[in-house]
Amino acid sequence: MDPNDSAQTTGEATGTVVGRRKAARYIVPVAVAGVAAATIGLVPALANSGDPDLPKISAQELIEKIAASDEEQLSGTFKISTDLGLPLDGLAGSFVPGGKGGDKDGGAAAPQDKLMELTSGTHTLRVAADGPERQKLSILGDASEYSLIHNQGEVWAYDSTSDEVYHAEAPEGRDGGHAEKTPKAPEGAPATPKDFAEQALAAAADTTSVTVDGTAQVAGRDAYQLLIKPKQSGSTIGSVRIAVDAENGVPLKFTLSAASGGKAVVDAGFTKVDFSRPAASTFSFTPPKGAKVTEADELETGKDERGAAQKALPGQLAELDGFEGLNVIGKGWTSIAEIKTPGGKGLPAAGSDEVPAEAQGFLDALGDKVTGKFGSGTVFKTRLVNALLTDDGSVYVGAVTKDALVRAADAAAK
């Protein structure tokens, strides 16, 4: 490979974890779900066979192409597979907000409930977009479909299995419209794609390798592959690979691999894609006759159980008064967030009234008991994010190995 086809950058990883005392004890499944959900937002794709012969391009030029992409219309189908290595996946859903056993905020059609299902297993989705004011996402089942539609001032969601509908007003932009048409860049932000690429690649040179690693065919389109790898030891992340459309710079493929090898942690992408404008009827929705419709304003005014929970929220948040804050240890891919739980209270004792039997079984399946200068604690493991919860109430979490977490806790105990 030409030397110009590679560049280095430093990735600074920080984390913010906020939660009540009990929530902190189940931080691992929640944090993992959050990482996966954030990753899903990149809208990536699965590759087809065949490597096209494309002109050479440097990492900086490819990042410039991504930054310059202005495609606002597309439609297509993509698959997403997520394998975080969580045992007892069905039980895990009971302790993740929106999981199968969790509270249904706004009914079965509420987006915050349904979209959380994408954090595990394999799913087929259909997407469409026409600028910032019209988007549609459908999750396809064997004999069912869940659709989430944003059409100018309204958001609709429909679950065909339960025949339930969720309806809300779309948030307004600062200009009074329903989308931010002309957002202003923060002061000091890169003004052009070239500025963006140069800033990203010139940050530093010790923690991250960024290269152009060949080409691929994605959904019948030619693409370059951008490969991002940590240079630090101790990270659970092996690499991030993004396939970028050679013509328009749209990311078409995203694969997150674990340092331990095996199946990709997240592998998702387009199997079909069309960059022409979708028909206006794609974004039209009328609730089916007889379907149960839940209005978002009912949730906000406490007309149902969700409203009652919202009224109680200020009192619940008061428990955060004792929260000692967040400290980030290290930098780059091996950053570890150190969190003090409210009141300095650690994990509750097994068999206590504070921990349901199913929850205790889930935690035991995930955890390894460890000891060190910090005392004792439990390491909860996934293929991507690990967390050490010490018996004295400290939490150490990051995309790092168990040994790295123990070392961080020992260092903090000095």
Side-chain angles (χ1 to χ4, degrees), residues 8-157:
Q8 312 299 323
T9 186
T10 296
E12 297 296 337
T14 59
T16 300
V17 180
V18 177
R20 298 185 293 119
R21 185 175 297 117
K22 290 184 180 179
R25 296 169 194 164
Y26 308 119
I27 192 173
V28 176
V30 175
V32 169
V35 170
T39 305
I40 291 166
L42 294 176
V43 190
L46 297 172
N48 296 325
S49 60
D51 296 335
D53 184 14
L54 296 172
K56 286 189 174 297
I57 189 171
S58 69
Q60 176 173 329
E61 290 169 334
L62 187 53
I63 293 175
E64 287 180 26
K65 181 178 275 292
I66 297 171
S69 178
D70 59 358
E71 294 288 340
E72 291 192 336
Q73 287 85 33
L74 67 83
S75 59
T77 303
F78 68 91
K79 290 184 178 180
I80 178 165
S81 296
T82 307
D83 181 9
L84 295 166
L86 281 167
L88 309 176
D89 283 338
L91 182 59
S94 298
F95 306 105
V96 176
K100 294 178 181 178
D103 294 334
K104 289 295 182 182
D105 296 342
Q112 62 267 34
D113 297 325
K114 196 69 178 180
L115 297 182
M116 192 61 68
E117 294 179 10
L118 299 180
T119 61
S120 64
T122 298
H123 304 270
T124 299
L125 299 92
R126 189 164 52 233
V127 299
D130 182 11
E133 293 198 347
R134 295 180 180 86
Q135 300 93 31
K136 182 176 182 179
L137 168 70
S138 297
I139 304 173
L140 309 180
D142 292 337
S144 64
E145 180 172 329
Y146 173 84
S147 293
L148 178 62
I149 303 119
H150 169 219
N151 190 355
Q152 295 180 312
E154 293 183 293
V155 174
W156 292 96

Side-chain angles (χ1 to χ4, degrees), residues 264-277:
V265 177
V266 177
D267 192 1
F270 284 102
T271 56
K272 295 180 181 179
V273 64
D274 183 349
F275 290 102
S276 59
R277 171 171 288 174

Side-chain angles (χ1 to χ4, degrees), residues 118-400:
L118 299 180
T119 61
S120 64
T122 298
H123 304 270
T124 299
L125 299 92
R126 189 164 52 233
V127 299
D130 182 11
E133 293 198 347
R134 295 180 180 86
Q135 300 93 31
K136 182 176 182 179
L137 168 70
S138 297
I139 304 173
L140 309 180
D142 292 337
S144 64
E145 180 172 329
Y146 173 84
S147 293
L148 178 62
I149 303 119
H150 169 219
N151 190 355
Q152 295 180 312
E154 293 183 293
V155 174
W156 292 96
Y158 176 61
D159 183 357
S160 68
T161 301
S162 63
D163 198 28
E164 292 189 32
V165 176
Y166 174 87
H167 179 233
E169 296 296 319
E172 293 186 358
R174 289 195 301 267
D175 60 358
H178 293 284
E180 194 65 50
K181 295 183 174 61
T182 56
K184 295 182 180 179
E187 187 175 350
T192 68
K194 189 173 189 298
D195 292 340
F196 178 87
E198 288 178 349
Q199 181 171 310
L201 294 171
D206 295 332
T207 67
T208 307
S209 168
V210 182
T211 63
V212 178
D213 188 32
T215 62
Q217 274 271 317
V218 179
R221 296 185 67 87
D222 294 346
Y224 292 102
Q225 299 201 77
L226 188 67
L227 181 62
I228 304 169
K229 298 179 69 174
K231 298 177 71 176
Q232 298 166 293
S233 61
S235 174
T236 56
I237 298 174
S239 67
V240 175
R241 185 181 294 271
I242 304 171
V244 182
D245 192 293
E247 180 181 349
N248 58 32
V250 172
L252 297 175
K253 172 181 170 63
F254 178 93
T255 303
L256 173 63
S257 299
S260 58
K263 184 180 178 182
V265 177
V266 177
D267 192 1
F270 284 102
T271 56
K272 295 180 181 179
V273 64
D274 183 349
F275 290 102
S276 59
R277 171 171 288 174
S281 59
T282 303
F283 310 102
S284 299
F285 179 79
T286 300
K289 185 177 180 180
K292 176 185 176 182
V293 179
T294 299
E295 295 287 345
D297 58 359
E298 293 179 5
L299 307 180
E300 294 167 359
T301 56
K303 294 181 181 178
D304 60 3
E305 293 178 0
R306 172 61 172 170
Q310 286 178 328
K311 286 183 178 180
L313 190 58
Q316 295 166 353
L317 292 179
E319 294 187 25
L320 293 177
D321 288 346
F323 197 86
E324 296 181 32
L326 171 71
N327 177 42
V328 178
I329 302 170
K331 66 177 184 177
W333 300 82
T334 55
S335 295
I336 296 172
E338 178 189 18
I339 307 114
K340 299 294 185 181
T341 57
K345 187 175 180 181
L347 286 170
S352 69
D353 293 337
E354 295 182 79
V355 185
E358 286 186 337
Q360 187 62 53
F362 176 61
L363 295 175
D364 290 344
L366 281 176
D368 287 343
K369 298 296 183 182
V370 294
T371 58
K373 295 177 182 178
F374 60 89
S376 60
T378 305
V379 173
F380 298 100
K381 300 180 297 182
T382 74
R383 298 179 62 209
L384 186 66
V385 177
N386 295 328
L388 165 61
L389 279 67
T390 66
D391 291 344
D392 66 359
S394 295
V395 179
Y396 299 86
V397 61
V400 297

